[in-house]
């Protein structure tokens, strides 16, 4: 009897031990990214104390961890964790946030040690993060930078404010920058604000200290312009400036598309106008919408003759089965993603390649297959998906199906076009293609109206010119 209970006790102990390890392993896997970020900051804090004071003390380390991590978890992790892009691509967007921030902290440690404490500035990392992600992320990075150095300098609140407020202004003034020359404005505003804060807080009475501010900020701007393309390439998170450079029509992939699939290239150019104009009315990223449209069909470089816009005579789908046709159409999505990864295109453009057809059924081939076999299986004829995850991807989907429909219309009349658009958008809505993109019904209505106006403007009728003898026209 005693042996029986002892076995039961040992077994339960083993089960609880296994259960604990499983739960611990699950916890680690679930919070892997958060743990890595904490380790990175711990290493940075240790490195900073070594650089500045040539020692590592438990007192400074523990105090630093308690204050800094309380704010980081309460503000940084909380707000950035709610950002949709950080949820979609955590590795890319956390890298786009942390890499410039840590780079700037390390750079400013050297500035403090070898130059002057008033030459410290958060403008470099703030501008890079604002341009790559958004201004709210830029503000959070500025706060973390200011807090980091404020703690290092003995929990100096005035110095924390001195670093944070100008960076806040820099983030707010750089929200809509699309050209490199416009970066001069955040530099001017941030420098003026930093000088005012330095004077108001009485941190320095030396006139020379004021000169360090514009010089340091200007050098930060120059460094930022130099390193921004490397951060974009490394993280695959692109600023609007980077997207515009990438969208140059001399881009090797777009050149290849224009040569191998000219019909697709022309189709992409038309869609880019529709997507850009529609994105503007819902406050979307118009640059991403346009450049994403350029690249969304690059997978059609492979076997372009299987797509209607590139066919000159015979349709090759006539000679193959509907299932094989479906696989070939799917391949333009998967091959497009391969090209996007090979050329390190922005991660959001890779998403647009994947999502511009969502999980829609290729109705023509499905109908052909049903007539041949009598089997109803829509899953065999679905695009791989997923459905659009953000506004610009959903707008691209609407523009894509709209352009394909209007191409088949002999005369584009407003009433008929409006009816066609209503049918297309209703079909996409009831198929569930807009479930995850964040578009509201009001925004969808605005998109429909803008696309309709753009199409009518692009296809307006011209007057017919009278024929006059060439001899009469000659001087």
């Amino acid at each position: 009897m005693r042996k029986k209970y002892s076995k039961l006790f040992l077994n339960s102990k083993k089960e609880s031990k296994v259960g604990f390890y499983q739960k611990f392993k699950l916890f680690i896997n679930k919070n892997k990214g958060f743990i890595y970020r904490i380790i990175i900051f711990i290493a940075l804090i240790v490195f900073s104390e070594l650089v500045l004071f040539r020692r590592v003390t438990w007192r400074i380390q523990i105090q630093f961890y308690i204050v800094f991590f309380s704010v980081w978890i309460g503000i940084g992790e909380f707000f950035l964790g709610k950002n949709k892009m950080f949820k979609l691509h955590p590795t890319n967007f956390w890298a786009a946030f942390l890499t410039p921030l840590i780079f700037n902290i390390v750079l400013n440690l050297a500035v403090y040690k070898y130059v002057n404490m008033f030459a410290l500035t958060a403008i470099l990392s703030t501008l890079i993060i604002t341009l790559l992600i958004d201004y709210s992320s830029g503000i959070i990075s500025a706060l973390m930078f200011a807090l980091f150095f404020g703690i290092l300098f003995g929990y100096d609140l005035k110095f924390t404010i001195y670093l944070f407020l100008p960076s806040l202004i820099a983030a707010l003034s750089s929200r809509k920058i699309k050209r490199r020359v416009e970066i001069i404005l955040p530099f001017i505003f941030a420098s003026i604000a930093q000088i005012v804060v330095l004077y108001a807080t009485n941190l320095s009475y030396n006139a020379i200290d004021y000169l360090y501010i514009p010089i340091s900020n200007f050098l930060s701007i120059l460094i930022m312009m130099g390193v921004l393309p490397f951060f974009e390439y490394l993280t695959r998170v692109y600023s609007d400036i980077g997207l515009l450079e990438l969208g140059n029509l001399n881009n090797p992939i777009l050149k290849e598309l224009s040569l191998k699939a000219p019909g697709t290239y022309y189709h992409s150019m038309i869609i880019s106008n529709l997507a850009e104009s529609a994105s503007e009315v819902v406050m979307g990223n118009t640059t991403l919408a346009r450049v994403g449209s350029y690249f969304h069909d690059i997978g059609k470089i492979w076997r372009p003759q299987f797509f209607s816009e590139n066919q000159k005579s015979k349709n090759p789908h006539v000679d193959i089965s509907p299932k094989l046709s479906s696989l070939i159409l799917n391949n333009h999505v998967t091959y497009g993603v391969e090209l996007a990864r090979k050329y390190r295109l922005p991660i959001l453009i890779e998403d647009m390649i994947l999502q511009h057809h969502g999980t829609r059924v290729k109705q023509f081939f499905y109908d052909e297959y049903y007539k041949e076999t009598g089997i109803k299986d829509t899953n065999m004829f679905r695009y791989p998906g997923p459905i659009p995850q953000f506004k610009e991807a959903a707008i691209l989907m609407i523009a894509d199906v709209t352009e394909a429909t209007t191409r088949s219309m002999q005369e584009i009349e407003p009433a008929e076009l409006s009816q066609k658009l209503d049918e297309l958008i209703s079909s996409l809505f009831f198929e569930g293609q807009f479930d995850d993109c964040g578009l509201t019904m009001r925004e969808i209505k605005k998109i429909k109206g803008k696309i309709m106006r753009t199409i009518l403007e692009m296809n307006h009728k011209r007057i017919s010119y009278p024929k006059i003898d060439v001899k009469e026209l000659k001087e």
Side-chain angles (χ1 to χ4, degrees):
M1 194 75 175
R2 191 176 292 173
K3 284 181 181 179
K4 185 181 177 181
Y5 282 119
S6 64
K7 280 182 183 179
L8 286 169
F9 175 73
L10 288 169
N11 287 337
S12 65
K13 198 172 182 181
K14 282 179 184 177
E15 284 174 9
S16 64
K17 204 172 184 181
V18 170
F20 171 76
Y21 284 132
Q22 285 176 339
K23 286 177 182 176
F24 180 72
K25 193 176 179 181
L26 187 68
F27 174 80
I28 293 294
N29 289 333
K30 192 177 179 181
N31 299 281
K32 194 184 291 182
F34 172 71
I35 293 166
Y36 285 155
R37 290 190 287 277
I38 295 295
I39 291 169
I40 287 168
F41 277 123
I42 289 172
L44 183 62
I45 292 162
V46 171
F47 173 77
S48 300
E49 193 180 357
L50 276 172
V51 168
L52 294 181
F53 309 116
R54 295 184 180 180
R55 68 181 191 278
V56 177
T57 59
W58 283 109
R59 184 179 63 82
I60 291 176
Q61 290 293 313
I62 297 300
Q63 286 178 356
F64 207 118
Y65 299 150
I66 290 169
V67 178
F68 183 81
F69 287 136
S70 297
V71 178
W72 170 248
I73 294 166
I75 296 175
E77 291 287 336
F78 179 77
F79 285 104
L80 295 177
K82 287 183 175 294
N83 189 311
K84 190 170 186 177
M85 294 308 170
F86 280 81
K87 290 178 182 177
L88 284 177
H89 299 289
T91 303
N92 299 79
F93 278 86
W94 276 114
F97 181 87
L98 289 174
T99 312
L101 177 60
I102 292 167
F103 173 79
N104 198 30
I105 287 172
V106 172
L107 184 66
N108 277 272
L109 286 171
V111 168
Y112 171 73
K113 191 170 183 180
Y114 299 109
V115 185
N116 186 292
M117 69 180 290
F118 296 105
L120 295 180
T121 176
I123 194 171
L124 191 154
S125 54
T126 303
L127 282 178
I128 290 176
I129 292 166
T130 300
L131 294 174
L132 292 181
I133 307 172
D134 55 33
Y135 75 94
S136 60
S137 301
I139 291 169
I140 291 170
S141 75
L143 177 62
M144 294 308 152
F145 180 95
L147 183 70
F148 193 94
F149 281 97
I151 296 171
L152 274 180
F153 298 150
Y155 301 91
D156 192 330
L157 182 60
K158 284 184 179 180
F159 196 75
T160 303
I161 293 168
Y162 165 77
L163 291 174
F164 174 65
L165 282 181
S167 304
L168 171 66
I169 291 167
L172 292 172
S173 60
S174 61
R175 283 179 292 178
K176 296 180 180 179
I177 286 179
K178 294 185 186 293
R179 296 184 300 159
R180 292 186 187 277
V181 70
E182 293 172 357
I183 293 171
I184 197 70
L185 293 175
F187 157 70
I188 294 169
F189 296 149
S191 297
I192 293 169
Q194 204 163 2
I195 290 168
V196 170
V197 172
L198 183 60
Y199 178 79
T201 53
N202 293 320
L203 280 170
S204 173
Y205 298 100
N206 190 341
I208 297 173
D209 291 336
Y210 288 89
L211 290 175
Y212 282 110
I213 292 171
I215 294 168
S216 177
N217 284 339
F218 184 71
L219 290 174
S220 293
I221 290 290
L222 293 180
I223 294 168
M224 189 219 78
M225 291 172 71
V227 300
L228 181 61
F230 295 100
F231 285 123
E232 289 173 333
Y233 185 82
L234 177 70
T235 64
R236 294 182 67 197
V237 177
Y238 275 59
S239 65
D240 284 351
I241 296 169
L243 284 171
L244 287 168
E245 289 175 355
L246 187 71
N248 186 324
L249 297 182
N250 288 317
N251 185 291
I253 308 176
L254 296 178
K255 276 278 189 184
E256 190 177 358
L257 183 68
S258 69
L259 294 171
K260 291 186 177 179
T264 299
Y265 178 82
Y266 178 66
H267 157 81
S268 299
M269 294 302 111
I270 294 171
I271 285 178
S272 68
N273 291 326
L274 299 178
E276 183 180 35
S277 60
S279 184
E280 189 176 9
V281 296
V282 294
M283 305 299 288
N285 187 331
T286 55
T287 310
L288 176 62
R290 171 172 281 279
V291 179
S293 300
Y294 290 163
F295 290 94
H296 81 284
D297 268 344
I298 55 173
K300 290 182 182 179
I301 289 171
W302 182 80
R303 294 192 177 180
Q305 70 276 14
F306 281 88
F307 301 91
S308 59
E309 66 268 23
N310 301 309
Q311 290 166 7
K312 294 178 182 177
S313 54
K314 187 180 177 183
N315 183 351
H317 289 286
V318 173
D319 300 324
I320 59 176
S321 69
K323 282 176 71 175
L324 182 56
S325 293
S326 178
L327 288 171
I328 291 170
L329 264 63
N330 279 358
N331 194 72
H332 94 272
V333 174
T334 52
Y335 184 59
V337 170
E338 283 180 29
L339 287 174
R341 289 173 182 170
K342 179 183 175 182
Y343 289 96
R344 294 194 68 79
L345 295 181
I347 193 68
L348 294 181
I349 288 182
E350 181 184 317
D351 284 345
M352 293 171 84
I353 293 169
L354 268 173
Q355 297 167 19
H356 76 277
H357 285 301
T359 55
R360 301 201 76 201
V361 175
K362 305 171 201 77
Q363 295 180 26
F364 178 83
F365 295 114
Y366 169 69
D367 186 58
E368 288 289 309
Y369 181 74
Y370 175 68
K371 286 174 183 176
E372 287 178 12
T373 64
I375 298 171
K376 287 188 174 183
D377 186 359
T378 55
N379 290 326
M380 287 197 303
F381 294 90
R382 286 191 184 278
Y383 281 102
I387 61 174
Q389 299 295 303
F390 50 96
K391 289 181 180 182
E392 292 79 10
I395 289 167
L396 175 60
M397 174 184 276
I398 296 169
D400 194 24
V401 295
T402 302
E403 196 277 333
T405 301
T406 53
R407 203 187 317 132
S408 63
M409 294 170 67
Q410 297 296 325
E411 290 287 332
I412 298 178
E413 297 295 335
E416 186 185 359
L417 179 61
S418 180
Q419 185 184 348
K420 289 275 188 186
L421 279 173
D422 283 336
E423 289 171 2
L424 286 170
I425 292 171
S426 295
S427 176
L428 293 172
F429 180 80
F430 288 112
E431 286 174 30
Q433 300 300 319
F434 299 147
D435 287 356
D436 294 341
C437 67
L439 284 174
T440 64
M441 290 300 294
R442 183 175 291 180
E443 286 176 327
I444 291 171
K445 190 176 179 180
K446 285 182 181 179
I447 289 166
K448 179 241 177 178
K450 188 62 177 180
I451 286 178
M452 184 176 166
R453 286 194 296 275
T454 306
I455 290 170
L456 291 172
E457 286 165 5
M458 288 167 63
N459 293 276
H460 68 277
K461 293 180 180 178
R462 293 180 178 271
I463 61 169
S464 57
Y465 293 95
K467 288 186 178 180
I468 301 172
D469 196 298
V470 178
K471 291 177 182 178
E472 292 181 41
L473 300 175
K474 189 177 179 182
E475 289 184 9

